[in-house]
Amino acid sequence: MATRRVRGACPHDCPDRCSWIVTVDDTGTAVALNGNPDHPLTAGRLCTKVNGYLHDRVYSPHRITRPLRRTGPKGSGEFAPIGLDEALDEIATRLTGIAAADGPAAIIPFSYEGTQGLLQSKSMSERFFARLGAAEVGHTICGPTGGAGLSAVNGFTVGVLPEDAVHANLIIVWGANPLVTNQHLWAAMLSARSRGARIVVIDPVATRTAHAADRHLMPRPGTDAALALGIAHLLITDDLVDHEFIAAHTTGFDELATAAADFTPDRTADITGIAESDIRTLAADYAAARPALIRLMVGMEHHTNGAALYAAIAALPALTGMWRHHGGGIAYHTSPLFNRSLNLDGLRMAHLAPGPRRRINMVQLGQALTDPHSDPPARALIVHGSNPAVIVPRQPLVRQGLARDDLFTVVHEHVLTDTARYADIVLPATTQLEHLDLMKSWGHTDLMLNLPAIAPPGDAISVTDLFRDLATRMGFTEPCFTDTDDDLLATALNSAHPYLHGITLDHLRENGWQRLNLRTPHTPYAAGFPTPDNRARLHTAARAAATALPPPADPRWPLQLLSVKGLRSMNSTYADTTQCARDGGPWLDLHPDDAAARAINDGDPIEVHNQHATITLHARVSTRVRPGVVAIMFGTWSGTRAGDRGAAANLLTPDTLTDGGGSAFHDTYVDVRRCELSMQV
Ligand SMILES: Nc1nc2c(c(=O)[nH]1)N[C@H]1C(S)=C(S)[C@@H](COP(=O)(O)OP(=O)(O)OC[C@H]3O[C@@H](n4cnc5c(=O)[nH]c(N)nc54)[C@H](O)[C@@H]3O)O[C@H]1N2
Ligand SMILES: Nc1nc2c(c(=O)[nH]1)N[C@H]1C(S)=C(S)[C@@H](COP(=O)(O)OP(=O)(O)OC[C@H]3O[C@@H](n4cnc5c(=O)[nH]c(N)nc54)[C@H](O)[C@@H]3O)O[C@H]1N2
Ligand code: SF4
Ligand SMILES: [Mo]
């Protein structure tokens, strides 16, 4: 049978942004999905999560292929199929009515990173809601907090390109779990190790990455600023700093030295729970390495002092002049390189808004949906590319909002997620195999093109088609609403930015990806920083001292809950699949001391409770966590479908904001008790 091969890219919110090849047979069926062997980072391999994309999503029996209208109470998951035309008409009529009666700010669009394609997530939908004057939901939940801390010191967030980890001879994986969350970069770290590099992990949880590393330090959560200042203290007192680099390229050294003076090794050990000798060894190894790379990701930012943690860490490569060396410094997200070079403004057209828009922080969606005094109160919620009933903190409040009968809710989805169960109308969405898209990456520097490989099943509709259609039905006559996906693609690439020099649509179509035109070797701050005076602001790092101590313990909730990413799920995506259930669980990791104090044995059913909720799951008793810390996998649904265990982490998390405006998911305090109930597994 004749087959054709179509190039594309994984849509997930994953730094690896794999390049893939879809094999399609002559009936138009996708028969294989493989990693592109020619893409350097992908190296021919996708991951556990996405290897099953064809049967778990594209051809899943659970896939939604027809629009559905709710027939039972909200959340019950009772729906009846309706026609696409009827569904879209009803949505247009309801939105027009709500905008007229309550003002367009009563309409809340909620989308996030289900697909990171620029067309599917940041073009027609954004134009539509801007033109409507709907509320605007700030995308704060992942990344901006860490970015705020890094740019407060360095003026920019990107730093070292992650792939340059191969040039480092010490890699500090600080609050990240790349063996699970950034697997293809982990391979690059292993190749650095095969050339003699050492890998140190700093994480309160003994993750898979920690087990595979050369050393693992387990700080108390949220005390990494103290650890960084403690290292700065030793670098300064032992005269291991790069005086020339500090004089030429930084300001605020004296303030930093004053702040660090308080973080003597014994006090730092007290605050962080890391042995003094380990802190000394880490500082000495760091100073001696040429170069050392610090890999930061996202998990560590989810504390009230999240930005301060990143700022304090940012001081270390500036103090040691690590940025002089190829592969030395800090590696964080690469997406700002694409954001500044692609024509995203042309895609989004924010200027279509009739006036200033109401801003809602996505972390506090629960408040936005339930506050009767907000002006105007929320009347409609339009969700695509996200599952807020699972991923947003303080779920009890979010679900109270979703359960409102007077909140007109539309969810555009592949499967009946927890959020979709609350919808008035569910619309079937196309998968990455069925639409065109242009993808940036946040873990490498290749721009990717995703070509449609197969026809959408049933009534499945892409995000761009959906909002193009709704624009027409609502009488928006601006010509931008007739742009085709090819027009949008051309718009995104219509930029004279030097990073895009040499990038052509023809090459992207032929090859699937093309690297941004960046200078090599990439030593971004070797000769100064992108701040107004070209100097790193060490005084900003010094300010982290003010929040370096953990908050006083509350005796009612003595255990700190960390909710971390799972190996077989992508945020809440795939939590419904059988492969996800394969590991058993969900589990709560609990230290043997904390378990003994509560007469809990390994495998016991337990209740985890705090002021927000009580959830039931099993204890996994081990030294995987520090005493005083418990950990749960984030992403589990709490609906009633197979695979759901009613143990979603965000039932327990508060909607407190970080110092960077993000979600302080990890500032969650709980207690645990054995429960006698037999669990349904
Ligand atoms: N398999 C898989 N891959 C994914 C995802 C997924 O869900 N599954 N999600 C993707 C997304 S959206 C993101 S943002 C990334 C996230 O990628 P990571 O940031 O690597 O993942 P997390 O599990 O959120 O957090 C990493 C680690 O931070 C630790 N941590 C928490 N608090 C502290 C602290 O105070 N100090 C220190 N030192 N460490 C701390 C946690 O224990 C955790 O092990 O992964 C992406 N890749
Ligand atoms: N407790 C706790 N909570 C967390 C985190 C944590 O570590 N702990 N991590 C946070 C982080 S870092 C992140 S990034 C967020 C992730 O939050 P989200 O980006 O909302 O993540 P997902 O759960 O993957 O939900 C994406 C949904 O989009 C759908 N989707 C996929 N492709 C398409 C498409 O083309 N069209 C449409 N219409 N839909 C599509 C998927 O089926 C899926 O249900 O969660 C945050 N929440
Ligand atoms: S989720 Fe990440 S590792 Fe898996 S295929 Fe997608 S980009 Fe690659
Ligand atoms: Mo994320």
Side-chain angles (χ1 to χ4, degrees):
M1 190 183 269
T3 57
R4 57 195 173 87
R5 288 152 57 85
V6 184
R7 288 178 196 279
C10 174
H12 285 308
D13 186 1
C14 170
D16 297 28
R17 183 68 69 243
C18 290
S19 171
W20 74 27
I21 296 173
V22 188
T23 308
V24 183
D25 72 12
D26 55 12
T27 69
T29 306
V31 290
L33 176 69
N34 296 106
N36 182 351
D38 301 329
H39 182 246
L41 201 69
T42 308
R45 188 180 67 82
L46 301 175
C47 66
T48 328
K49 310 175 285 295
V50 174
N51 282 332
Y53 192 68
L54 293 186
H55 56 80
D56 286 339
R57 283 297 178 264
V58 180
Y59 298 119
S60 164
H62 301 297
R63 176 141 180 216
I64 301 163
T65 56
R66 302 277 170 218
L68 304 172
R69 182 189 279 126
R70 184 167 62 85
T71 54
K74 287 208 169 186
S76 67
E78 292 161 35
F79 294 96
I82 53 170
L84 184 60
D85 207 42
E86 187 187 349
L88 296 173
D89 253 347
E90 182 169 334
I91 296 167
T93 306
R94 290 297 302 268
L95 294 187
T96 305
I98 289 167
D102 301 282
I107 298 168
I108 304 183
F110 195 96
S111 72
Y112 202 48
E113 307 288 357
T115 166
Q116 296 203 306
L118 294 172
L119 271 49
Q120 295 305 314
S121 73
K122 290 182 179 53
S123 67
M124 252 334 143
S125 50
E126 297 221 0
R127 290 179 182 185
F128 176 85
F129 288 114
R131 166 67 178 76
L132 182 60
E136 196 174 10
V137 176
H139 283 182
T140 53
I141 222 162
C142 173
T145 295
L150 292 178
S151 56
V153 177
N154 295 336
F156 194 43
T157 57
V158 176
V160 176
L161 302 181
E163 67 236 40
D164 284 341
V166 289
H167 302 293
N169 57 28
L170 174 67
I171 300 172
I172 302 182
V173 178
W174 201 324
N177 188 9
L179 186 48
V180 168
T181 60
N182 192 185
Q183 296 179 19
H184 294 77
L185 183 68
W186 177 249
M189 292 180 179
L190 289 183
S191 63
R193 180 148 79 176
S194 66
R195 294 188 305 97
R198 275 158 311 128
I199 302 176
V200 178
V201 168
I202 304 177
D203 196 314
V205 179
T207 59
R208 283 171 187 259
T209 308
H211 281 296
D214 299 294
R215 293 188 66 205
H216 175 210
L217 304 177
M218 275 178 127
R220 281 198 188 98
T223 64
D224 301 77
L227 181 58
L229 289 165
I231 296 170
H233 175 100
L234 286 166
L235 295 173
I236 294 166
T237 52
D238 295 349
D239 197 22
L240 297 171
V241 297
D242 183 333
H243 294 284
E244 213 178 282
F245 191 87
I246 291 170
H249 302 306
T250 73
T251 53
F253 174 77
D254 292 342
E255 281 118 304
L256 179 65
T258 305
D262 289 340
F263 290 85
T264 54
D266 57 332
R267 181 162 178 258
T268 305
D270 266 0
I271 299 169
T272 60
I274 297 176
E276 190 178 325
S277 57
D278 286 338
I279 297 170
R280 288 185 185 277
T281 307
L282 180 63
D285 287 353
Y286 182 69
R290 283 293 177 273
L293 174 69
I294 298 174
R295 173 56 168 165
L296 297 175
M297 282 274 283
V298 177
M300 191 173 56
E301 78 170 22
H302 298 311
H303 294 274
T304 42
N305 63 341
L309 303 183
Y310 286 65
I313 293 169
L316 302 179
L319 283 175
T320 48
M322 217 53 92
W323 294 109
R324 292 176 188 271
H325 311 278
H326 188 202
I330 289 177
Y332 195 55
H333 304 169
T334 52
S335 35
L337 300 172
F338 298 89
N339 297 345
R340 53 164 63 169
S341 56
L342 292 165
N343 178 19
L344 299 187
D345 291 344
L347 280 185
R348 300 175 128 148
M349 303 186 69
H351 62 269
L352 290 169
R357 293 169 67 186
R358 170 187 184 189
R359 289 277 297 181
I360 291 170
N361 189 324
M362 68 186 287
V363 173
Q364 296 176 333
L365 178 68
Q367 294 183 38
L369 295 183
T370 53
D371 180 0
H373 306 297
S374 64
D375 187 21
R379 293 279 177 234
L381 177 71
I382 315 295
V383 180
H384 64 94
S386 189
N387 188 6
V390 176
I391 67 101
V392 172
R394 206 174 164 194
Q395 248 181 65
L397 196 67
V398 174
R399 284 169 183 258
Q400 192 184 314
L402 289 172
R404 274 179 46 199
D405 265 327
D406 59 345
L407 181 76
F408 176 64
T409 303
V410 177
V411 178
H412 185 222
E413 253 301 349
H414 296 149
V415 290
L416 203 60
T417 58
D418 274 8
T419 307
R421 301 174 80 89
Y422 286 92
D424 292 288
I425 293 185
V426 182
L427 293 172
T430 45
T431 68
Q432 186 78 342
L433 263 58
E434 298 141 22
H435 53 233
L436 177 72
D437 223 326
L438 182 71
M439 322 286 303
K440 57 186 185 177
S441 163
W442 53 281
H444 60 70
T445 54
D446 299 327
L447 185 63
M448 332 280 287
L449 186 67
N450 180 75
L451 294 170
I454 58 171
D459 288 331
I461 183 170
S462 68
V463 180
T464 46
D465 278 341
L466 168 61
F467 288 99
R468 218 177 258 128
D469 181 292
L470 286 176
T472 310
R473 283 177 206 258
M474 290 182 65
F476 298 169
T477 51
E478 289 78 358
C480 67
F481 290 110
T482 57
D483 282 357
T484 63
D485 283 5
D486 281 315
D487 295 336
L488 293 169
L489 187 57
T491 298
L493 294 172
N494 182 12
S495 152
H497 196 282
Y499 292 171
L500 295 185
H501 280 179
I503 292 193
T504 65
L505 205 46
D506 284 346
H507 189 277
L508 286 171
R509 281 188 193 282
E510 185 70 20
N511 199 48
W513 58 276
Q514 198 171 1
R515 190 173 194 269
L516 290 182
N517 177 37
L518 298 166
R519 255 202 321 239
T520 46
H522 187 77
T523 48
Y525 313 142
F529 293 81
T531 55
D533 62 0
N534 294 116
R535 288 164 180 271
R537 297 173 282 223
L538 295 178
H539 46 279
T540 316
R543 282 186 214 133
T547 57
L549 301 185
D554 180 335
R556 290 173 303 165
W557 321 115
L559 303 171
Q560 183 165 8
L561 176 76
L562 302 181
S563 40
V564 300
K565 307 292 196 279
L567 178 69
R568 298 180 206 281
S569 51
M570 167 49 62
N571 299 319
S572 78
T573 306
Y574 307 126
D576 58 322
T577 61
T578 43
Q579 68 141 331
C580 212
R582 220 191 307 155
D583 287 341
W587 304 98
L588 185 84
D589 285 302
L590 186 67
H591 189 272
D593 294 352
D594 294 321
R598 293 163 179 80
I600 292 171
N601 294 310
D602 189 41
D604 277 353
I606 51 169
E607 285 178 346
V608 188
H609 58 104
N610 67 6
Q611 66 274 44
H612 297 293
T614 299
I615 67 171
T616 313
L617 70 177
H618 285 96
R620 188 161 67 173
V621 178
S622 76
T623 51
R624 212 175 108 83
V625 286
R626 299 176 44 89
V629 174
V630 290
I632 186 176
M633 194 193 91
F634 145 71
T636 314
W637 301 3
S638 50
T640 52
R641 277 198 34 194
D644 301 341
R645 310 286 168 76
N650 281 321
L651 287 164
L652 296 163
T653 52
D655 60 2
T656 319
L657 299 182
T658 67
D659 50 356
S663 174
F665 289 113
H666 298 322
D667 285 4
T668 301
Y669 298 89
V670 299
D671 205 350
V672 178
R673 57 182 170 239
R674 248 185 74 87
C675 69
E676 300 306 329
L677 292 171
S678 70
M679 299 258 307
Q680 275 185 353
V681 180

